[in-house]
Amino acid sequence: AGAETVKRAVELDVASRFQESLVCYQEGIDLLLQVVKATKDEAKKHRYRQKISEPTFFSDGKYHKQIRIEENATGFGYEKLFHEYLTEIVSEVWVEDPYIRHIHQASRYSLYNFLRFCEMLIKGPCKVKTIHLLTSCDEGSGRSQQMSGLEEIQQSLRNYGVTLNIEFSSSIHDREIRFNNGWMIKIGRGLDYFKKPQGRFSIGYCDFDLRPCHETTVDVFHTKHTKKM
């Protein structure tokens, strides 16, 4: 009930019904606190406390939610992180990340991570038709591998009726993801917040929910309350 009340609060805030939203947030947090007091399961207590500690800020009608991912935390796969913002009306996605590069770059798995993100969009309730990627161009021998990987993803998406538009910028620094339903997500480390798997046959290699994460911060905004669209 507490979680549903908080969810309702978010919906009211997006609809600019801020007073009702604030009441729902207060009621939802109170309900969650009651559950924490009554629960003996320490794992559940930790999960409820984490939910309560996710701050949502209101200032002149602006929406801002912040999620802190701790070092080595698990349970933050792309589906879990993005699912509540990928509504059925989402048809266009913008990804800005300077490090969508080949798989050997500084032991990063950025191209694979971007591919996994695209797979999530294909499977989701949304009907994505266009993905815009803005990233930086790899230098030296890595450039051909980066282009080859991106072109392969582009062709594969085309088989699912999705167009991938790729642009490069030498000055890009920001990392953000935007959906055309108004949600904007900024991740401190971009899509590459997962740690390198311990081995090809270790738990978490395939399932990102089980993959340990680097410490990072996720900021969620609604673009109707921001200047940039």
Side-chain angles (χ1 to χ4, degrees), residues 32 35-52:
L32 288 170
V35 172
V36 170
K37 291 179 181 178
T39 300
K40 294 182 179 180
D41 188 318
E42 289 300 320
K44 287 184 178 180
K45 279 189 176 183
H46 175 73
R47 190 159 63 248
Y48 291 137
R49 287 195 187 104
Q50 189 175 45
K51 190 70 177 176
I52 294 168

Side-chain angles (χ1 to χ4, degrees), residues 156-211:
S156 184
L157 284 169
R158 196 175 292 127
N159 295 334
Y160 286 86
V162 179
T163 299
L164 173 61
N165 296 320
I166 305 168
E167 291 186 32
F168 297 97
S169 170
S170 59
S171 59
I172 179 176
H173 295 291
D174 291 344
R175 297 169 174 87
E176 67 179 45
I177 295 167
R178 304 193 305 279
F179 305 131
N180 68 321
N181 61 351
W183 289 108
M184 176 194 297
I185 297 93
K186 291 176 174 282
I187 308 174
R189 299 183 64 98
L191 290 173
D192 191 27
Y193 59 88
F194 297 102
K195 290 195 169 184
K196 182 182 177 181
Q198 294 182 349
R200 289 183 297 169
F201 300 101
S202 60
I203 296 298
Y205 185 87
C206 298
D207 191 337
F208 275 26
D209 281 336
L210 299 174
R211 180 85 67 87

Side-chain angles (χ1 to χ4, degrees), residues 41-219:
D41 188 318
E42 289 300 320
K44 287 184 178 180
K45 279 189 176 183
H46 175 73
R47 190 159 63 248
Y48 291 137
R49 287 195 187 104
Q50 189 175 45
K51 190 70 177 176
I52 294 168
S53 66
E54 292 176 1
T56 303
F57 305 103
F58 294 89
S59 176
D60 299 326
K62 294 181 180 179
Y63 176 89
H64 176 205
K65 174 182 178 180
Q66 188 175 85
I67 303 167
R68 294 182 179 87
I69 300 178
E70 303 293 338
E71 184 76 7
N72 291 317
T74 56
F76 290 97
Y78 294 145
E79 286 85 354
K80 295 288 181 66
L81 194 61
F82 294 105
H83 76 96
E84 63 181 294
Y85 312 111
L86 284 172
T87 58
E88 293 182 0
I89 66 171
V90 173
S91 60
E92 197 164 7
V93 179
W94 291 262
V95 178
E96 295 185 10
D97 190 324
Y99 295 111
I100 306 300
R101 299 183 179 179
H102 68 87
I103 61 175
H104 301 297
Q105 186 250 335
S107 299
R108 291 177 182 268
Y109 283 69
S110 300
L111 271 176
Y112 281 140
N113 289 346
F114 180 65
L115 175 60
R116 191 69 64 92
F117 177 79
C118 291
E119 289 175 339
M120 175 201 66
L121 295 176
I122 296 296
K123 291 194 306 180
C126 52
K127 305 299 180 185
V128 173
K129 296 298 181 184
T130 308
I131 301 172
H132 303 275
L133 172 65
L134 178 63
T135 188
S136 61
C137 193
D138 211 335
E139 301 296 334
S141 61
R143 183 171 184 174
S144 61
Q145 294 182 49
Q146 179 191 28
M147 293 304 301
S148 175
L150 286 174
E151 288 171 2
E152 189 172 342
I153 294 173
Q154 189 177 50
Q155 177 58 50
S156 184
L157 284 169
R158 196 175 292 127
N159 295 334
Y160 286 86
V162 179
T163 299
L164 173 61
N165 296 320
I166 305 168
E167 291 186 32
F168 297 97
S169 170
S170 59
S171 59
I172 179 176
H173 295 291
D174 291 344
R175 297 169 174 87
E176 67 179 45
I177 295 167
R178 304 193 305 279
F179 305 131
N180 68 321
N181 61 351
W183 289 108
M184 176 194 297
I185 297 93
K186 291 176 174 282
I187 308 174
R189 299 183 64 98
L191 290 173
D192 191 27
Y193 59 88
F194 297 102
K195 290 195 169 184
K196 182 182 177 181
Q198 294 182 349
R200 289 183 297 169
F201 300 101
S202 60
I203 296 298
Y205 185 87
C206 298
D207 191 337
F208 275 26
D209 281 336
L210 299 174
R211 180 85 67 87
C213 298
H214 292 286
E215 181 179 355
T216 193
T217 301
V218 181
D219 290 284

